[in-house]
Amino acid sequence: MTDVPLSGSTLLVGPSQVGKTATTARALQTWLDRHGTDGVAVLDFAPEVERDGQILGGRLDRFLEIPDDVWYGVLEAHAPRAESDSVEEAVTLARENAEGARTLFENAPVPRAVFVNDATIPFQHETNDPALLTDYCERARCAVLNAFESDELGTENPVSRREREVLAFLRDSVDRTIDLS
């Protein structure tokens, strides 16, 4: 089990099914146990995809009950590469995610602590700048983000290329990165 520092900013990365969401949920629970719910914001961008009878990804509330006093912004996200039959369709789904995420950012409160599940999803389309997320996280004492990092969903499609760019930006923007692979 990985301990996540609860000060500054931490990015958890790895392929599917390595525990990124569960680790983020444990960090959130630890924060809540130590500091309570005041100023806690959760941005949950994770799509829920079933592959071979197994749920991949999924929301933080699969791992803990999010208290009512926590601001919980949930994007009804698509998994562009897994849900599409063409590159064009994947790009369209990524754009829809980007548009939906902007509304969450507009409504998010000033955070004391922020926890972000599947941080690259809102930025897989170029219409959203990942600085929207990093600027938001910089306002908090603690930010824990997780993101998919793997070639398992392809490398040459526009969604994967953009995701790699965003991930590099996030790595450069946080205090530390923990690879869970």
Side-chain angles (χ1 to χ4, degrees), residues 3-81:
D3 286 331
V4 177
L6 295 179
S7 64
S9 55
T10 303
L11 175 64
L12 306 169
V13 297
S16 296
Q17 300 305 109
V18 295
K20 296 179 302 290
T21 302
T23 302
T24 304
R26 281 193 304 277
L28 171 56
Q29 187 63 63
T30 301
W31 177 275
L32 294 171
D33 292 345
R34 292 180 187 171
H35 305 285
T37 59
D38 186 46
V40 176
V42 174
L43 292 163
D44 207 331
F45 301 123
E48 293 200 54
V49 177
E50 186 174 326
R51 188 186 307 155
D52 301 325
Q54 183 176 24
I55 297 288
L56 301 180
R59 296 193 185 118
L60 287 167
D61 62 7
R62 286 182 51 219
F63 297 93
L64 81 155
E65 186 173 328
I66 309 286
D68 290 339
D69 294 345
V70 168
W71 186 85
Y72 189 31
V74 176
L75 177 65
E76 294 297 329
H78 302 287
R81 293 164 293 200

Side-chain angles (χ1 to χ4, degrees), residues 96-110:
E96 288 176 11
N97 285 341
E99 291 166 357
R102 278 195 296 274
T103 302
L104 290 178
F105 282 109
E106 290 167 4
N107 293 313
V110 174

Side-chain angles (χ1 to χ4, degrees), residues 101-157:
R102 278 195 296 274
T103 302
L104 290 178
F105 282 109
E106 290 167 4
N107 293 313
V110 174
R112 192 166 131 228
V114 61
F115 297 84
V116 184
N117 192 28
D118 225 336
T120 58
I121 289 287
F123 308 104
Q124 290 174 333
H125 192 273
E126 62 196 18
T127 56
N128 268 355
D129 182 348
L132 184 65
L133 176 60
T134 56
D135 290 350
Y136 182 73
C137 290
E138 284 178 8
R139 297 163 56 189
R141 285 181 33 204
C142 169
V144 177
L145 304 83
N146 71 53
F148 174 78
E149 182 176 53
S150 173
D151 293 343
E152 68 188 81
L153 296 176
T155 59
E156 295 310 313
N157 63 69

